[in-house]
Structures are given as structure tokens and as C-alpha cells.
Amino acid sequence: MTAMSAMSAMRFLCCLDGTNIEQISKVLTPFTATETLTIGLLYVIDQGPHGEVERTRERFMRPSGPLSSPRRDQMKQVDDVTAQDILNEGLRYLPTAALLRREGRPEREIVNYAAEWKADLIVICPRSHYGGKAEIGPRSVGHVARFVLDHAPCPVLLVRPLAREQFPLKR
């Protein structure tokens, strides 16, 4: 098998967080010339915040008990719309990609889905940046990326935003 035929069968699982599709698509551009490359865009709806909302509600507002069904349904609808918006934005940059969506803890869902989907490479960013500068140093990789780096069933490509203005590092 030649290097090119092995390359053409690769499956890249790209982990979206709502802020990183442009960075990921720039890195993948050289690979997208290969027609049989399979790209999956994965967005995980994090279920962790739902439990936090319930605990806050119990503490400040009402006695213990699960959120009412209408409130839970509203939260699910917002999550679904947000996930679809993020995945649709991904299609603008990578129109041939498969859209993949999961619910749960992002770090575990990414690792588990990479194994199920038989990914050859996971593409992930170190953490979401909402208008701030990219961090360098020990806290530059968030808990999701750290978990994926430590537990992935295949190689991981960590895509950092450009941060040239932060160099040279001060001693």
C-alpha cells in the first residue's frame, strides 16, 4: 500500500466547540484535496451544566427535586439549536464533512466516539477562546483536550491559535 492510498482512506474526527472551526479548517486544507478523506465534525452537548442548574435551583430557589419538564424541554431545545448552528457553521468550511452529535461529558464522548467511528486522527483545540487571547503556559490546555490527549484511541492533532505576539517568552 502506498503512502497516498493509506492517506486517502483516513478518517479525521474534528471536535468543534463553537469557536474553532476556522482554525481546524485551515489545518485540514492540505488534506481535503484527497477525495476519499472522511472528515467528521463532532459537537458534544455537555450535560454537566444541567446538573449544576438543578443544584443552584435547589440551593436558592426551590426545594429539591428535578427541574420541571417544561424547563428541561426548553434547555434541551436551546442545546439542540446551538449544536445544529455550530455543525452548520462547520459545513460552511468543510462542506463534505459528516455531522456528528453526541450528548454527555465532552471529554468522554470524544474518546468513545473516536473509537466507535474508527477515527485515524482526532483534531482538537486546546480550549475555547471567546474573544480573549490564547493562553500559553501550563493552563493553555483545558480539561477536555487534556483528557483526549491522555486517553485517545488514535493520534491527536492539537491545533493552537496563532500566538506569535506573545513571543519571545520573558525569563
Side-chain angles (χ1 to χ4, degrees):
M1 180 171 0
T2 68
M4 190 58 174
S5 64
M7 185 71 135
S8 64
M10 290 193 75
R11 298 170 65 83
F12 287 11
L13 182 63
C14 304
C15 305
L16 302 183
D17 65 12
T19 66
N20 63 352
I21 185 59
E22 191 172 349
Q23 291 170 310
I24 288 174
S25 67
K26 283 180 183 177
V27 168
L28 293 183
T29 299
F31 298 103
T32 56
T34 306
E35 285 184 28
T36 57
L37 175 68
T38 301
I39 297 173
L41 300 177
L42 175 64
Y43 181 76
V44 180
I45 296 173
D46 188 351
Q47 294 297 305
H50 294 267
E52 292 169 21
V53 167
E54 287 190 29
R55 284 189 294 279
T56 301
R57 180 180 165 274
E58 289 172 7
R59 199 165 109 206
F60 294 113
M61 302 161 110
R62 298 189 183 134
S64 338
L67 282 174
S68 66
S69 185
R71 179 67 64 194
R72 190 177 301 113
D73 292 344
Q74 273 183 319
M75 290 170 65
K76 177 143 179 52
Q77 285 176 345
V78 169
D79 286 343
D80 289 343
V81 168
T82 301
Q84 197 57 52
D85 286 348
I86 290 169
L87 290 169
N88 287 340
E89 179 73 8
L91 278 181
R92 284 188 44 229
Y93 288 86
L94 299 164
T96 61
L99 301 182
L100 312 165
R101 190 174 98 179
R102 298 286 285 249
E103 293 184 17
R105 297 304 301 181
E107 59 275 18
R108 294 190 181 277
E109 293 300 323
I110 291 167
V111 168
N112 289 337
Y113 197 78
E116 290 171 28
W117 197 65
K118 297 180 175 52
D120 294 304
L121 180 73
I122 297 172
V123 182
I124 194 166
C125 290
R127 67 172 57 237
S128 298
H129 295 284
Y130 299 100
K133 288 187 349 184
E135 277 187 55
I136 58 172
R139 287 185 261 163
S140 65
V141 178
H143 74 279
V144 173
R146 171 60 53 207
F147 187 92
V148 172
L149 287 166
D150 290 343
H151 300 284
C154 61
V156 178
L157 175 61
L158 184 69
V159 179
R160 292 189 173 281
L162 287 176
R164 292 184 184 129
E165 69 281 353
Q166 296 182 27
F167 291 90
L169 295 174
K170 307 291 186 240
R171 291 182 186 171

